[in-house]
Amino acid sequence: MTRTRLDRVRASAGIAKLALQQIEDDLTTDDIGAQELAQILPELHHEDHRQDGVLGSLAQLLTAAAQAAGRIEPDHDGEMSCPLHEAAALITENAGLQTHYATRALDPQGEAE
């Protein structure tokens, strides 16, 4: 049986969801401290290497979807692709920046990196 592209995407998204659930479980324990959390947050967003974190990977995925949408847009006017590009930018610039601020607040000396 041949798996379709949608089947592969669904399977991969399921794996990603399980991985994110594991991270969430680790973050919801009562024994996590500020420095440990500051060490974990760069795995979600690393200011110097944005593509290395989870948020950067998600932004990269949305950018790829935007590029695909751009290729199939009938009028090439950005109606399909622009919202996806904007979503990628919001993740990187907004969520990423806020995560960076939180990391600095948790570990002001920057020892977590």
XYZ file of all heavy atoms in Angstrom:
850
model
N 0.842 -1.174 0.000
C 0.000 0.000 0.000
C 0.893 1.244 0.000
O 1.788 1.388 0.820
C -0.888 -0.028 1.246
C -1.823 1.128 1.349
S -3.012 0.826 2.651
C -2.819 2.294 3.581
N 0.651 2.141 -0.899
C 1.422 3.369 -1.014
C 0.850 4.439 -0.098
O -0.349 4.707 -0.105
C 1.398 3.886 -2.468
O 1.853 2.851 -3.332
C 2.259 5.114 -2.613
N 1.723 5.012 0.691
C 1.288 6.099 1.576
C 1.289 7.402 0.799
O 2.232 7.706 0.074
C 2.219 6.201 2.774
C 2.041 5.044 3.737
C 2.992 5.081 4.871
N 3.057 6.396 5.507
C 3.724 6.650 6.599
N 4.391 5.696 7.192
N 3.747 7.866 7.115
N 0.263 8.170 0.984
C 0.175 9.460 0.313
C 0.983 10.501 1.080
O 1.391 10.278 2.233
C -1.283 9.934 0.217
O -1.765 10.208 1.539
C -2.165 8.898 -0.460
N 1.169 11.631 0.464
C 1.852 12.738 1.119
C 1.112 13.123 2.399
O 1.726 13.338 3.446
C 1.939 13.929 0.165
C 2.620 15.136 0.784
C 2.738 16.290 -0.203
N 3.657 15.922 -1.250
C 3.401 16.015 -2.561
N 2.243 16.461 -2.981
N 4.302 15.674 -3.448
N -0.215 13.186 2.321
C -1.008 13.536 3.496
C -0.822 12.517 4.610
O -0.711 12.884 5.779
C -2.487 13.671 3.125
C -3.438 14.054 4.256
C -3.020 15.379 4.906
C -4.864 14.142 3.738
N -0.744 11.245 4.263
C -0.501 10.202 5.272
C 0.849 10.422 5.959
O 0.966 10.305 7.177
C -0.508 8.812 4.639
C -1.872 8.358 4.162
O -2.890 8.840 4.708
O -1.913 7.516 3.238
N 1.874 10.744 5.170
C 3.207 10.972 5.735
C 3.211 12.204 6.631
O 3.815 12.203 7.712
C 4.246 11.099 4.622
C 4.522 9.798 3.883
C 5.721 9.902 2.942
N 5.605 10.980 1.970
C 5.000 10.885 0.789
N 4.429 9.763 0.427
N 4.978 11.917 -0.043
N 2.540 13.264 6.197
C 2.477 14.485 7.006
C 1.743 14.204 8.318
O 2.181 14.631 9.388
C 1.802 15.633 6.220
C 1.466 16.800 7.123
C 2.709 16.077 5.073
N 0.624 13.489 8.232
C -0.122 13.162 9.458
C 0.718 12.332 10.422
O 0.705 12.584 11.625
C -1.404 12.410 9.108
C -2.484 13.310 8.580
C -3.740 12.545 8.258
N -4.785 13.443 7.819
C -5.766 13.102 7.009
N -5.860 11.865 6.552
N -6.674 13.994 6.658
N 1.448 11.361 9.898
C 2.294 10.534 10.759
C 3.404 11.366 11.396
O 3.668 11.263 12.599
C 2.890 9.375 9.952
N 4.033 12.217 10.610
C 5.101 13.072 11.133
C 4.570 14.063 12.162
O 5.199 14.302 13.196
C 5.793 13.818 9.997
O 6.429 12.910 9.132
N 3.403 14.649 11.876
C 2.794 15.579 12.833
C 2.454 14.858 14.137
O 2.618 15.421 15.220
C 1.550 16.215 12.230
N 2.018 13.624 14.040
C 1.732 12.839 15.239
C 2.977 12.610 16.075
O 2.945 12.715 17.304
N 4.085 12.309 15.422
C 5.359 12.127 16.126
C 5.784 13.432 16.789
O 6.212 13.449 17.944
C 6.444 11.604 15.156
C 6.105 10.179 14.709
C 7.826 11.663 15.793
C 6.920 9.696 13.524
N 5.647 14.539 16.062
C 6.011 15.843 16.622
C 5.142 16.169 17.834
O 5.642 16.671 18.847
C 5.880 16.931 15.560
N 3.867 15.887 17.744
C 2.966 16.141 18.877
C 3.376 15.329 20.098
O 3.351 15.845 21.226
C 1.521 15.815 18.494
C 0.907 16.800 17.548
C -0.512 16.338 17.181
C -1.076 17.096 16.025
N -2.404 16.604 15.629
N 3.744 14.071 19.887
C 4.199 13.234 21.004
C 5.474 13.795 21.630
O 5.614 13.816 22.856
C 4.421 11.788 20.545
C 3.166 10.992 20.223
C 3.539 9.648 19.604
C 2.319 10.796 21.473
N 6.396 14.240 20.799
C 7.637 14.819 21.311
C 7.356 16.084 22.107
O 7.918 16.292 23.192
C 8.599 15.110 20.157
N 6.472 16.934 21.590
C 6.124 18.166 22.302
C 5.402 17.855 23.606
O 5.588 18.549 24.605
C 5.292 19.080 21.408
C 6.047 19.659 20.213
C 5.092 20.386 19.283
C 7.169 20.567 20.661
N 4.587 16.808 23.615
C 3.903 16.406 24.842
C 4.918 15.970 25.895
O 4.772 16.274 27.078
C 2.915 15.271 24.567
C 2.134 14.837 25.792
C 1.282 15.943 26.384
O 0.492 16.551 25.680
N 1.445 16.223 27.664
N 5.979 15.286 25.470
C 7.029 14.875 26.405
C 7.708 16.100 27.020
O 7.951 16.156 28.221
C 8.069 14.000 25.699
C 9.216 13.586 26.595
C 8.767 12.745 27.774
O 8.074 11.770 27.591
N 9.167 13.126 28.974
N 7.993 17.103 26.193
C 8.592 18.341 26.703
C 7.641 19.008 27.681
O 8.051 19.445 28.769
C 8.957 19.295 25.547
C 10.061 18.683 24.675
C 9.396 20.658 26.087
C 10.303 19.424 23.371
N 6.372 19.079 27.319
C 5.379 19.681 28.218
C 5.325 18.935 29.552
O 5.278 19.556 30.613
C 4.002 19.678 27.559
C 2.940 20.362 28.388
C 1.574 20.374 27.709
O 1.488 20.157 26.486
O 0.589 20.607 28.424
N 5.361 17.618 29.497
C 5.350 16.822 30.730
C 6.563 17.147 31.598
O 6.448 17.252 32.822
C 5.319 15.326 30.416
C 4.002 14.864 29.807
O 3.013 15.632 29.829
O 3.974 13.732 29.269
N 7.720 17.315 30.969
C 8.932 17.655 31.722
C 8.848 19.056 32.325
O 9.421 19.322 33.378
C 10.172 17.553 30.826
C 10.572 16.116 30.552
O 10.247 15.235 31.375
O 11.197 15.861 29.508
N 8.137 19.950 31.653
C 8.012 21.317 32.151
C 6.968 21.470 33.251
O 6.994 22.456 33.992
C 7.664 22.271 31.002
C 8.764 22.482 29.960
C 8.224 23.294 28.794
C 9.974 23.146 30.580
N 6.061 20.531 33.365
C 4.986 20.667 34.344
C 5.294 19.964 35.667
O 4.421 19.888 36.531
C 3.647 20.149 33.777
O 3.796 18.797 33.360
C 3.183 21.010 32.615
N 6.508 19.525 35.850
C 6.879 18.936 37.135
C 7.121 20.046 38.153
O 7.498 21.164 37.793
C 8.157 18.078 37.021
O 9.236 18.916 36.621
C 7.977 16.948 36.017
N 6.904 19.744 39.400
C 7.056 20.735 40.469
C 8.512 21.009 40.829
O 8.812 21.981 41.513
C 6.303 20.288 41.719
C 4.794 20.343 41.532
O 4.332 21.120 40.665
O 4.092 19.611 42.238
N 9.423 20.159 40.384
C 10.810 20.292 40.830
C 11.721 21.023 39.836
O 12.932 21.032 39.997
C 11.392 18.910 41.145
C 11.484 18.011 39.930
O 10.805 18.281 38.918
O 12.239 17.016 39.991
N 11.163 21.675 38.827
C 12.005 22.398 37.860
C 12.386 23.757 38.443
O 11.561 24.455 39.019
C 11.295 22.539 36.497
C 12.299 23.007 35.441
C 10.089 23.441 36.578
C 11.795 22.847 34.026
N 13.640 24.097 38.297
C 14.136 25.369 38.807
C 14.397 26.358 37.692
O 14.331 26.026 36.500
N 14.715 27.589 38.080
C 14.917 28.673 37.119
C 16.059 28.369 36.152
O 15.918 28.542 34.938
C 15.171 29.988 37.849
N 17.186 27.908 36.679
C 18.328 27.664 35.795
C 18.059 26.503 34.845
O 18.401 26.572 33.656
C 19.602 27.404 36.589
C 20.799 27.305 35.644
C 22.102 27.566 36.308
O 22.166 27.738 37.510
N 23.151 27.603 35.526
N 17.411 25.450 35.341
C 17.096 24.329 34.459
C 16.125 24.769 33.355
O 16.288 24.410 32.185
C 16.509 23.163 35.243
C 16.286 21.926 34.396
C 15.754 20.746 35.172
O 15.250 20.919 36.304
O 15.821 19.636 34.625
N 15.123 25.551 33.725
C 14.188 26.061 32.723
C 14.919 26.958 31.722
O 14.670 26.885 30.517
C 13.035 26.815 33.398
C 11.935 27.333 32.486
C 11.340 26.227 31.627
C 10.854 28.016 33.317
N 15.846 27.766 32.213
C 16.638 28.628 31.323
C 17.495 27.796 30.372
O 17.795 28.240 29.266
C 17.507 29.573 32.146
N 17.893 26.614 30.776
C 18.658 25.726 29.898
C 17.763 25.048 28.865
O 18.210 24.738 27.762
C 19.385 24.666 30.719
C 20.497 25.222 31.566
C 21.075 24.184 32.525
O 20.381 23.266 32.949
N 22.338 24.343 32.859
N 16.509 24.829 29.218
C 15.566 24.162 28.318
C 15.046 25.112 27.243
O 14.899 24.730 26.077
C 14.396 23.556 29.129
C 14.905 22.381 29.966
C 13.249 23.125 28.222
C 13.896 21.855 30.975
N 14.756 26.348 27.615
C 14.123 27.291 26.683
C 14.878 27.495 25.368
O 14.248 27.613 24.315
C 13.854 28.626 27.370
C 12.721 28.598 28.397
C 12.591 29.955 29.073
C 11.412 28.173 27.761
N 16.216 27.529 25.358
C 16.902 27.671 24.069
C 16.663 26.496 23.112
O 16.861 26.630 21.912
C 18.381 27.779 24.453
C 18.346 28.355 25.825
C 17.141 27.724 26.477
N 16.213 25.365 23.652
C 15.848 24.258 22.767
C 14.578 24.607 21.995
O 14.338 24.106 20.900
C 15.646 22.960 23.550
C 16.889 22.486 24.278
C 18.075 22.261 23.345
O 17.880 21.743 22.230
O 19.204 22.607 23.744
N 13.754 25.478 22.584
C 12.549 25.945 21.906
C 12.877 27.099 20.968
O 12.364 27.185 19.864
C 11.496 26.375 22.930
C 11.105 25.315 23.963
C 10.077 25.875 24.926
C 10.599 24.057 23.289
N 13.718 28.012 21.439
C 14.135 29.147 20.610
C 15.531 29.578 21.035
O 15.743 29.976 22.174
C 13.182 30.333 20.764
C 13.658 31.546 20.037
N 13.523 31.676 18.671
C 14.289 32.659 20.458
C 14.049 32.831 18.305
N 14.520 33.441 19.361
N 16.459 29.515 20.121
C 17.825 29.956 20.380
C 18.040 31.245 19.602
O 17.969 31.255 18.366
C 18.823 28.888 19.940
C 20.194 29.114 20.458
N 21.040 30.057 19.923
C 20.865 28.556 21.484
C 22.172 30.058 20.586
N 22.094 29.148 21.533
N 18.248 32.327 20.299
C 18.330 33.651 19.673
C 19.414 33.728 18.600
O 19.216 34.327 17.547
C 18.566 34.723 20.742
C 18.537 36.130 20.224
C 17.182 36.577 19.673
O 16.154 35.982 20.018
O 17.171 37.533 18.871
N 20.576 33.121 18.843
C 21.680 33.215 17.888
C 21.534 32.274 16.695
O 22.051 32.546 15.619
C 23.002 32.928 18.590
C 23.331 33.976 19.636
O 22.905 35.142 19.453
O 23.990 33.642 20.637
N 20.834 31.162 16.897
C 20.650 30.157 15.844
C 19.179 29.775 15.797
O 18.789 28.689 16.206
C 21.524 28.928 16.110
C 22.964 29.255 16.295
N 23.786 29.557 15.236
C 23.729 29.365 17.396
C 25.000 29.830 15.685
N 24.998 29.735 16.995
N 18.377 30.687 15.300
C 16.923 30.539 15.362
C 16.414 29.241 14.739
O 15.448 28.671 15.199
C 16.242 31.732 14.707
C 16.497 32.994 15.474
C 15.860 34.169 14.818
N 16.121 35.349 15.626
C 15.645 36.529 15.359
N 14.869 36.703 14.327
N 15.923 37.541 16.133
N 17.041 28.772 13.685
C 16.582 27.571 13.016
C 16.826 26.313 13.855
O 16.250 25.266 13.569
C 17.217 27.430 11.632
C 18.699 27.130 11.642
C 19.602 28.343 11.830
O 19.138 29.451 12.082
N 20.896 28.139 11.723
N 17.649 26.413 14.892
C 17.966 25.252 15.716
C 16.867 24.894 16.707
O 16.773 23.751 17.127
C 19.275 25.477 16.493
C 20.489 25.497 15.588
O 20.360 25.094 14.413
O 21.556 25.918 16.049
N 16.056 25.832 17.100
C 15.030 25.564 18.093
C 13.741 25.049 17.480
O 13.538 25.062 16.266
N 12.850 24.598 18.344
C 11.549 24.100 17.906
C 10.770 25.202 17.183
O 10.171 24.959 16.127
C 10.743 23.551 19.113
C 9.324 23.195 18.715
C 11.445 22.344 19.723
N 10.784 26.407 17.745
C 10.053 27.504 17.105
C 10.632 27.823 15.732
O 9.893 28.095 14.779
C 10.064 28.747 17.995
C 9.322 28.624 19.324
C 9.488 29.899 20.145
C 7.863 28.314 19.110
N 11.946 27.789 15.613
C 12.587 28.023 14.314
C 12.224 26.958 13.302
O 11.993 27.258 12.125
N 12.154 25.719 13.752
C 11.756 24.629 12.853
C 10.312 24.806 12.397
O 9.988 24.581 11.230
C 11.923 23.277 13.543
O 13.277 23.024 13.800
N 9.457 25.219 13.322
C 8.062 25.456 12.964
C 7.946 26.625 11.979
O 7.207 26.553 10.997
C 7.224 25.719 14.214
C 5.733 25.937 13.993
C 5.098 24.764 13.256
C 5.046 26.155 15.332
N 8.696 27.684 12.213
C 8.696 28.824 11.290
C 9.208 28.398 9.917
O 8.660 28.810 8.886
C 9.543 29.961 11.856
N 10.225 27.570 9.889
C 10.785 27.076 8.634
C 9.737 26.233 7.892
O 9.600 26.319 6.671
C 12.024 26.238 8.942
C 12.992 26.097 7.831
C 14.292 25.471 8.328
O 14.469 25.126 9.498
N 15.217 25.307 7.420
N 8.973 25.440 8.628
C 7.919 24.627 8.044
C 6.833 25.509 7.431
O 6.365 25.269 6.309
C 7.327 23.705 9.109
C 6.192 22.792 8.705
C 6.637 21.805 7.645
C 5.668 22.051 9.921
N 6.443 26.553 8.157
C 5.436 27.481 7.624
C 5.949 28.233 6.404
O 5.196 28.491 5.460
C 4.999 28.465 8.712
C 4.103 27.865 9.793
C 3.948 28.838 10.953
C 2.753 27.479 9.231
N 7.221 28.555 6.389
C 7.822 29.210 5.224
C 7.792 28.279 4.017
O 7.483 28.716 2.896
C 9.259 29.661 5.532
O 9.220 30.617 6.605
C 9.935 30.276 4.322
N 8.076 27.003 4.233
C 7.998 26.030 3.133
C 6.566 25.923 2.615
O 6.337 25.844 1.400
C 8.513 24.668 3.596
N 5.596 25.940 3.536
C 4.185 25.905 3.124
C 3.831 27.174 2.350
O 3.098 27.121 1.350
C 3.277 25.749 4.344
N 4.356 28.311 2.778
C 4.106 29.571 2.077
C 4.693 29.527 0.667
O 4.073 30.009 -0.290
C 4.697 30.745 2.863
N 5.872 28.963 0.540
C 6.487 28.854 -0.780
C 5.670 27.940 -1.691
O 5.484 28.236 -2.873
C 7.926 28.359 -0.652
C 8.824 29.390 -0.008
C 10.178 28.836 0.403
O 10.378 27.627 0.485
N 11.111 29.740 0.680
N 5.151 26.852 -1.116
C 4.291 25.957 -1.900
C 3.019 26.689 -2.318
O 2.581 26.582 -3.471
C 3.955 24.709 -1.086
N 2.438 27.439 -1.387
C 1.230 28.208 -1.709
C 1.519 29.234 -2.791
O 0.703 29.444 -3.695
C 0.679 28.891 -0.450
N 2.678 29.861 -2.718
C 3.059 30.849 -3.720
C 3.168 30.254 -5.117
O 2.849 30.914 -6.107
N 3.615 29.000 -5.184
C 3.742 28.346 -6.485
C 2.385 28.023 -7.103
O 2.279 27.923 -8.323
C 4.574 27.065 -6.359
C 6.051 27.321 -6.093
C 6.870 26.049 -6.229
N 6.465 24.994 -5.303
C 6.935 24.833 -4.074
N 7.842 25.674 -3.601
N 6.534 23.839 -3.321
N 1.354 27.858 -6.263
C 0.053 27.467 -6.807
C -0.963 28.609 -6.826
O -2.079 28.427 -7.286
C -0.537 26.257 -6.048
C -0.757 26.572 -4.574
C 0.341 25.040 -6.226
C -1.456 25.471 -3.799
N -0.561 29.772 -6.336
C -1.466 30.928 -6.362
C -1.783 31.304 -7.806
O -0.859 31.574 -8.577
C -0.831 32.132 -5.654
C -0.874 32.040 -4.167
C -0.178 33.208 -3.491
O 0.873 33.664 -3.984
O -0.706 33.639 -2.468
N -3.058 31.358 -8.153
C -3.392 31.663 -9.549
C -2.976 33.066 -9.991
O -2.498 33.241 -11.107
C -4.910 31.504 -9.604
C -5.387 31.448 -8.203
C -4.212 31.121 -7.329
N -3.121 34.040 -9.132
C -2.793 35.419 -9.510
C -1.435 35.881 -8.987
O -1.042 37.020 -9.226
C -3.871 36.380 -8.984
C -5.229 36.108 -9.604
O -5.257 35.641 -10.763
O -6.238 36.334 -8.930
N -0.757 35.013 -8.260
C 0.531 35.356 -7.645
C 0.444 36.672 -6.877
O 1.352 37.498 -6.921
C 1.644 35.409 -8.689
C 1.828 34.120 -9.413
N 2.384 33.013 -8.822
C 1.476 33.740 -10.667
C 2.400 32.020 -9.682
N 1.846 32.431 -10.813
N -0.681 36.849 -6.160
C -0.909 38.090 -5.423
C -0.628 37.969 -3.924
O -0.783 38.916 -3.180
C -2.346 38.571 -5.641
C -3.392 37.556 -5.184
O -3.006 36.466 -4.705
O -4.589 37.860 -5.325
N -0.230 36.799 -3.485
C 0.112 36.610 -2.077
C -1.063 36.294 -1.182
O -0.888 36.150 0.026
N -2.247 36.147 -1.748
C -3.425 35.879 -0.924
C -3.287 34.579 -0.139
O -3.726 34.493 1.006
C -4.681 35.830 -1.796
C -5.954 35.630 -1.001
C -7.192 35.599 -1.869
O -7.085 35.673 -3.102
O -8.273 35.504 -1.289
N -2.658 33.582 -0.728
C -2.469 32.295 -0.053
C -1.162 32.255 0.738
O -1.116 31.729 1.829
C -2.458 31.161 -1.080
C -3.704 30.979 -1.870
S -3.276 29.865 -3.226
C -4.830 29.215 -3.667
N -0.114 32.797 0.171
C 1.215 32.648 0.768
C 1.519 33.671 1.859
O 2.196 33.346 2.840
C 2.292 32.708 -0.312
O 2.241 33.941 -1.005
N 1.049 34.890 1.722
C 1.383 35.943 2.688
C 0.980 35.596 4.129
O 1.781 35.800 5.044
C 0.797 37.277 2.269
S 1.782 38.082 0.989
N -0.226 35.068 4.356
C -0.567 34.723 5.739
C 0.380 33.690 6.348
O 0.689 33.749 7.540
C -1.997 34.172 5.640
C -2.553 34.757 4.393
C -1.377 34.891 3.460
N 0.868 32.768 5.521
C 1.804 31.764 6.033
C 3.168 32.381 6.318
O 3.808 32.051 7.321
C 1.917 30.603 5.036
C 0.630 29.797 4.855
C 0.750 28.874 3.653
C 0.306 29.017 6.117
N 3.620 33.276 5.452
C 4.870 34.001 5.712
C 4.745 34.829 6.998
O 5.673 34.873 7.809
C 5.242 34.918 4.544
C 5.879 34.222 3.398
N 7.092 33.575 3.488
C 5.470 34.080 2.104
C 7.414 33.065 2.310
N 6.442 33.351 1.461
N 3.594 35.467 7.172
C 3.358 36.271 8.383
C 3.364 35.398 9.632
O 3.902 35.785 10.665
C 2.026 37.014 8.261
C 1.987 37.986 7.111
C 2.037 39.422 7.559
O 1.797 39.695 8.741
O 2.324 40.259 6.700
N 2.752 34.226 9.540
C 2.723 33.310 10.685
C 4.145 32.893 11.059
O 4.501 32.857 12.245
C 1.866 32.082 10.367
N 4.964 32.593 10.056
C 6.358 32.222 10.317
C 7.103 33.371 10.985
O 7.856 33.163 11.942
C 7.046 31.820 9.012
N 6.882 34.582 10.499
C 7.552 35.750 11.081
C 7.092 35.998 12.514
O 7.902 36.333 13.383
C 7.294 36.985 10.221
N 5.799 35.825 12.765
C 5.294 36.022 14.127
C 5.914 35.029 15.103
O 6.249 35.387 16.237
C 3.767 35.896 14.154
C 3.009 37.093 13.612
C 1.523 36.761 13.482
C 3.212 38.310 14.485
N 6.084 33.799 14.662
C 6.701 32.795 15.533
C 8.132 33.199 15.847
O 8.560 33.193 16.992
C 6.663 31.408 14.871
C 5.240 30.872 14.890
C 7.607 30.441 15.590
C 5.052 29.612 14.077
N 8.867 33.556 14.823
C 10.276 33.877 15.017
C 10.472 35.180 15.775
O 11.233 35.244 16.731
C 10.997 33.986 13.659
O 10.612 32.909 12.838
C 12.487 33.929 13.826
N 9.763 36.202 15.332
C 9.984 37.525 15.906
C 9.259 37.731 17.233
O 9.801 38.324 18.144
C 9.574 38.605 14.902
C 10.384 38.574 13.628
C 11.895 38.645 13.860
O 12.337 39.395 14.750
O 12.625 37.936 13.159
N 8.036 37.274 17.343
C 7.265 37.531 18.545
C 7.486 36.438 19.588
O 8.027 36.703 20.662
C 5.778 37.670 18.199
C 4.994 38.308 19.313
O 5.431 38.355 20.441
N 3.807 38.780 18.993
N 7.076 35.234 19.275
C 7.214 34.140 20.240
C 8.687 33.897 20.571
O 9.047 33.686 21.728
C 6.568 32.867 19.699
N 9.524 33.942 19.559
C 10.945 33.723 19.791
C 11.565 34.786 20.681
O 12.314 34.486 21.610
N 11.233 36.032 20.417
C 11.770 37.128 21.219
C 11.290 37.048 22.665
O 12.068 37.238 23.601
C 11.387 38.466 20.597
C 12.021 39.704 21.225
C 13.550 39.628 21.171
C 11.522 40.952 20.518
N 10.025 36.742 22.852
C 9.490 36.626 24.206
C 10.147 35.461 24.956
O 10.430 35.554 26.153
C 7.963 36.453 24.177
C 7.234 37.653 23.597
C 7.563 38.954 24.303
O 7.656 39.021 25.519
N 7.752 40.003 23.517
N 10.410 34.369 24.251
C 11.109 33.229 24.860
C 12.524 33.633 25.252
O 13.012 33.261 26.329
C 11.131 32.040 23.879
O 9.792 31.720 23.510
C 11.784 30.820 24.498
N 13.177 34.405 24.402
C 14.528 34.900 24.706
C 14.504 35.777 25.961
O 15.343 35.637 26.854
C 15.067 35.687 23.514
C 16.378 36.329 23.760
N 17.555 35.615 23.850
C 16.714 37.632 23.953
C 18.552 36.446 24.089
N 18.069 37.672 24.150
N 13.513 36.686 26.052
C 13.389 37.534 27.240
C 13.180 36.698 28.498
O 13.761 36.988 29.546
C 12.231 38.522 27.088
C 12.447 39.615 26.072
C 11.358 40.214 25.458
C 13.720 40.053 25.716
C 11.530 41.237 24.525
C 13.892 41.055 24.786
C 12.802 41.644 24.194
O 12.977 42.640 23.276
N 12.348 35.683 28.401
C 12.086 34.822 29.557
C 13.357 34.091 29.982
O 13.645 33.976 31.179
C 10.980 33.823 29.239
N 14.137 33.621 29.009
C 15.389 32.927 29.317
C 16.345 33.853 30.064
O 16.944 33.468 31.066
C 16.051 32.408 28.026
O 15.132 31.551 27.350
C 17.330 31.653 28.326
N 16.463 35.088 29.598
C 17.335 36.068 30.258
C 16.837 36.397 31.662
O 17.632 36.598 32.574
C 17.428 37.351 29.435
C 18.195 37.187 28.175
C 19.679 36.937 28.474
N 20.211 36.078 27.450
C 20.774 34.904 27.667
N 20.912 34.425 28.863
N 21.234 34.176 26.671
N 15.539 36.475 31.836
C 14.987 36.773 33.165
C 15.237 35.616 34.130
O 15.512 35.833 35.320
C 13.486 37.054 33.069
N 15.176 34.391 33.630
C 15.407 33.213 34.473
C 16.876 33.061 34.837
O 17.210 32.590 35.917
C 14.925 31.944 33.758
C 13.421 31.787 33.656
C 13.069 30.778 32.568
C 12.839 31.356 34.999
N 17.746 33.460 33.921
C 19.182 33.321 34.151
C 19.890 34.588 33.664
O 20.462 34.621 32.584
C 19.711 32.091 33.423
C 21.164 31.801 33.739
O 21.701 32.355 34.720
O 21.771 31.016 33.003
N 19.829 35.670 34.455
C 20.367 36.961 34.023
C 21.852 36.933 33.693
O 22.332 37.737 32.901
C 20.108 37.885 35.215
C 19.107 37.192 36.063
C 19.224 35.736 35.765
N 22.597 36.036 34.293
C 24.036 35.977 34.041
C 24.367 35.232 32.761
O 25.512 35.205 32.333
C 24.740 35.284 35.205
C 24.492 35.967 36.556
C 24.859 37.444 36.543
O 25.907 37.824 36.033
N 23.976 38.270 37.082
N 23.363 34.581 32.165
C 23.585 33.859 30.916
C 24.350 32.572 31.079
O 24.943 32.074 30.138
N 24.350 32.026 32.289
C 25.115 30.811 32.538
C 24.450 29.564 31.955
O 25.072 28.527 31.846
C 25.315 30.619 34.043
C 26.159 31.720 34.647
C 26.216 31.663 36.163
O 25.701 30.684 36.726
O 26.782 32.574 36.746
N 23.171 29.668 31.580
C 22.452 28.513 31.086
C 22.968 28.048 29.729
O 22.844 26.906 29.368
C 20.960 28.814 30.967
N 23.556 28.943 28.962
C 23.978 28.582 27.622
C 25.280 27.915 27.644
O 26.124 27.516 27.830
C 24.041 29.803 26.733
C 22.661 30.388 26.566
C 22.652 31.545 25.605
O 22.957 31.311 24.439
O 22.359 32.660 26.027
